[in-house]
Amino acid sequence: MNRAMVFDDETIQKLFGFEDAESESIERLKEYYFKKDTFDRVTAELPLRILVGHKGTGKSALFKVAISEEKEAGNLPILIKPDDIAELGKNNENFLLRIRQWKYGLIKIIGEKVFSEFGLYDEKATSKLTQFGLKLISFISETINVAKDNISLTEGQKILTDNFLKKKGIIVYIDDLDRGWEGKKEDIIRISALLNAIRDLSNENSGLLFKVSLRSDVYYLVRTSDESTDKIEGSVVWCKWTNHEILVLLIKRILTYFGDSVDENTLMKTPQLHLRFHLERVMESTFSGRGKWENVYMYKILMSLIRKRPRDLVKLCSLAAQQAQQTNSPLIKTEHFQAIFEEYSQGRIQDTINEYKSELPNIENLLFGMRPTKKQRNASDGYIYTTAELIQKLNNIRQHTNFIFKNGRKASANELAQFLYKINFLTARKIVESGEIQRKYFEENRYISSSFVDFGYDWEVHPAFRWVLQPENINEIFNKLALSHD
């Protein structure tokens, strides 16, 4: 079977998937989509669910699958995109008036989309949507009862309206709110007002459910800048992954590509040492490198280089598969991964700069300032710091550059350390009793670095960035980097 593999672009995308869910067909996405507890928590019949996670963790994919399943179940999901709400909440009014603007704007958008789905769009009806005190679900129900016998509906629209009248429910998905986000005070106030508005709307309209996705840095700034958001903290669902879950995700994509049946629960219970056999259909089983990477199982290499984001894994495997195609190889081999490590690393650091420069404009100076000095490179590992060493390193960097957050606050060394941890440039690191390395990410323990008190963790520059920070001597990375164990 391996001899038949040809890693052209079409095969690579079918095998590993698109980097963004928007580009993937819903049929293929649902074939390989890996459901975890996050999916059930987000789709629960609760008034408000806020899905928070870094870019590349699968927020849009979750929404796309959830919307498809809601439609199949006869429910009424509505997707609101940034273009739909581009002009809402931007007026320089006081906060309460801004919330009201969001509420009226959302009611109008939701009502129009619902009427369009039903084939009942009528300007006279939609003009009444923003009347003060209007109960959206009740108004839509009354409008349907009056209009449905006088308008010709398709069979699908009849079923949809009948289901709505029985269930009296609308599920509103709001995705991609970080588009155009710059981290300014105005941006923070706008998102805060939106969150307050949808909380009010869901409380005022039984059956109106909101599902909102937010990038983790957006949520963090809003949550720490507006005390009113403490009321929605209980509605937050963090979109986070374990390495084992991401490996299962990859295995499921490979198995479904070959048309095999898949049992997610069985895969989750299967040790990684056994899961690795599925990878051998498309790549070598071991990495024939050097140093600490010599003859290590390939899955350990993959899990060590991703930042617990599915998109990282898709990018890593896709780049290596393109190299395999260039050599007409039916398997992705060690040499193909080695050829793309630097490109992969460059992409991850550029992604990070693009994602977070809205919060810290000169983030690039900070990241590249974390290059190890010659003295650090000669040490056992120039990318691992105790808390004291990290603060000293950052103070040295601050001597050459003033780091000022977008809100105008000058960044201290402690704040820069916390920022680097939040963006996954740094991970918390501890050697456990077994001798294995335990790594923790910001999403897993958001308070380890809250004030950078020493909790017994060291701090490590994530392996995904090291080829960019040390391009002149990448062999040291293989010799010194200990791989993840989970």
Side-chain angles (χ1 to χ4, degrees):
M1 186 174 296
N2 289 334
R3 283 193 293 271
M5 287 296 296
V6 177
F7 291 105
D8 55 31
D9 289 347
E10 185 177 352
T11 299
I12 291 171
Q13 288 183 341
K14 286 182 179 178
L15 178 60
F16 298 120
F18 283 80
E19 289 184 48
D20 61 298
E22 291 84 355
S23 301
E24 187 70 86
S25 71
I26 186 61
E27 293 78 19
R28 176 60 181 144
L29 180 61
K30 290 174 73 172
E31 269 185 355
Y32 69 62
Y33 186 76
F34 172 53
K35 285 184 179 177
K36 50 202 293 293
D37 60 338
T38 305
F39 187 90
D40 292 334
R41 293 184 64 200
V42 170
T43 56
E45 291 189 25
L46 293 169
L48 176 60
R49 298 275 88 182
I50 302 173
L51 180 62
V52 178
H54 290 291
K55 289 185 73 171
T57 52
K59 300 186 297 298
S60 293
L62 190 155
F63 275 17
K64 190 169 182 176
V65 173
I67 289 171
S68 175
E69 292 192 355
E70 294 289 3
K71 288 181 178 178
E72 290 175 357
N75 296 325
L76 182 59
I78 297 297
L79 176 61
I80 294 180
K81 297 181 178 180
D83 291 349
D84 297 321
I85 54 176
E87 301 305 317
L88 294 182
K90 284 191 171 182
N91 291 349
N92 293 320
E93 302 167 325
N94 69 50
F95 192 63
L96 293 178
L97 289 177
R98 198 185 291 249
I99 292 174
R100 178 181 289 184
Q101 185 191 44
W102 268 116
K103 290 167 71 172
Y104 287 175
L106 287 171
I107 285 174
K108 187 172 187 295
I109 292 168
I110 295 167
E112 289 176 348
K113 285 180 176 283
V114 169
F115 286 138
S116 293
E117 286 282 333
F118 291 159
L120 298 172
Y121 186 83
D122 176 73
E123 288 190 9
K124 187 177 180 181
T126 56
S127 65
K128 299 178 181 179
L129 283 167
T130 55
Q131 289 181 359
F132 183 76
L134 177 66
K135 297 294 185 181
L136 182 61
I137 301 287
S138 299
F139 176 75
I140 292 175
S141 299
E142 292 169 5
T143 304
I144 291 173
N145 281 321
V146 171
K148 68 175 184 175
D149 294 329
N150 303 317
I151 296 178
S152 178
L153 301 177
T154 66
E155 189 61 33
Q157 289 169 337
K158 288 179 181 177
I159 294 172
L160 194 59
T161 54
D162 287 343
N163 283 341
F164 175 78
L165 291 173
K166 289 177 185 176
K167 299 178 181 179
K168 299 258 176 46
I170 304 172
I171 309 160
V172 181
Y173 290 83
I174 307 178
D175 195 17
D176 255 356
L177 281 176
D178 52 88
R179 190 185 299 176
W181 171 266
E182 296 182 8
K184 297 177 182 177
K185 183 179 180 181
E186 170 66 21
D187 295 327
I188 294 171
I189 293 173
R190 185 168 182 257
I191 298 296
S192 296
L194 166 62
L195 295 177
N196 277 276
I198 59 179
R199 179 174 172 271
D200 288 349
L201 284 174
S202 61
N203 288 336
E204 294 164 1
N205 291 269
S206 177
L208 183 61
L209 312 181
F210 284 93
K211 319 290 184 183
V212 182
S213 76
L214 284 178
R215 217 168 61 198
S216 56
D217 60 307
V218 175
Y219 173 73
Y220 184 83
L221 280 180
V222 172
R223 179 68 185 88
T224 54
S225 301
D226 178 10
E227 63 182 21
S228 71
T229 54
D230 63 346
K231 297 175 182 177
I232 54 95
E233 190 170 16
S235 301
V236 171
V237 178
W238 282 82
C239 188
K240 57 186 180 181
W241 296 78
T242 65
N243 277 348
H244 188 77
E245 288 170 338
I246 294 183
L247 180 58
V248 168
L249 175 150
L250 176 60
I251 298 300
K252 185 174 182 181
R253 294 186 183 201
I254 292 172
L255 292 176
T256 54
Y257 171 80
F258 288 109
D260 296 350
S261 60
V262 178
D263 185 324
E264 289 183 2
N265 292 328
T266 300
L267 291 177
M268 279 299 296
K269 294 175 183 177
T270 303
Q272 294 184 8
L273 196 61
H274 298 295
L275 287 175
R276 67 184 172 86
F277 292 111
H278 296 298
L279 294 178
E280 294 177 10
R281 301 173 80 165
V282 296
M283 63 183 68
E284 285 183 327
S285 61
T286 57
F287 187 85
S288 55
R290 63 189 72 187
K292 294 184 178 181
W293 294 36
E294 185 176 3
N295 293 326
V296 172
Y297 289 124
M298 193 66 79
Y299 75 86
K300 288 195 173 186
I301 304 296
L302 300 179
M303 295 304 104
S304 296
L305 291 177
I306 62 174
R307 299 164 296 168
K308 296 194 175 179
R309 306 186 193 191
R311 188 178 296 173
D312 281 4
L313 186 62
V314 172
K315 190 67 176 178
L316 185 62
C317 292
S318 297
L319 286 173
Q322 290 168 11
Q323 286 292 318
Q325 169 68 354
Q326 291 181 19
T327 61
N328 296 316
S329 173
L331 277 179
I332 304 172
K333 299 180 179 179
T334 297
E335 64 197 68
H336 304 134
F337 280 110
Q338 287 178 320
I340 57 90
F341 281 154
E342 188 171 351
E343 180 183 354
Y344 170 75
S345 189
Q346 288 171 345
R348 303 295 67 72
I349 208 161
Q350 190 60 55
D351 284 349
T352 302
I353 292 169
N354 294 343
E355 188 173 349
Y356 295 101
K357 66 181 178 182
S358 61
E359 187 176 349
L360 185 67
N362 53 355
I363 181 178
E364 188 170 356
N365 293 338
L366 175 62
L367 300 186
F368 284 102
M370 291 297 294
R371 281 176 170 147
T373 63
K374 183 177 181 180
K375 181 178 179 181
Q376 288 172 330
R377 287 200 302 268
N378 292 332
S380 58
D381 194 324
Y383 293 96
I384 299 173
Y385 304 89
T386 63
T387 298
E389 289 169 344
L390 176 60
I391 298 303
Q392 181 60 53
K393 174 78 172 178
L394 292 169
N395 276 325
N396 291 341
I397 297 172
R398 290 173 69 243
Q399 290 179 5
H400 305 286
T401 306
N402 282 325
F403 294 99
I404 300 175
F405 291 112
K406 200 63 174 276
N407 61 13
R409 190 180 73 254
K410 187 174 181 180
S412 66
N414 274 34
E415 287 172 325
L416 289 177
Q418 187 177 19
F419 175 76
L420 289 172
Y421 179 49
K422 184 182 69 174
I423 69 175
N424 288 166
F425 185 85
L426 290 178
T427 55
R429 180 184 191 273
K430 179 190 288 187
I431 299 177
V432 296
E433 291 182 4
S434 64
E436 293 180 314
I437 297 172
Q438 178 191 76
R439 290 182 170 97
K440 283 195 173 293
Y441 287 64
F442 176 76
E443 305 91 285
E444 298 168 318
N445 193 333
R446 297 183 292 283
Y447 304 103
I448 286 181
S449 64
S450 57
S451 59
F452 259 74
V453 176
D454 192 345
F455 289 97
Y457 282 87
D458 291 334
W459 307 94
E460 178 179 23
V461 174
H462 195 283
F465 302 105
R466 297 193 188 186
W467 276 267
V468 174
L469 300 180
Q470 194 177 344
E472 69 282 356
N473 193 358
I474 61 175
N475 289 336
E476 285 188 20
I477 297 174
F478 297 116
N479 292 329
K480 295 181 178 180
L481 176 62
L483 300 170
S484 296
H485 72 278
D486 60 340

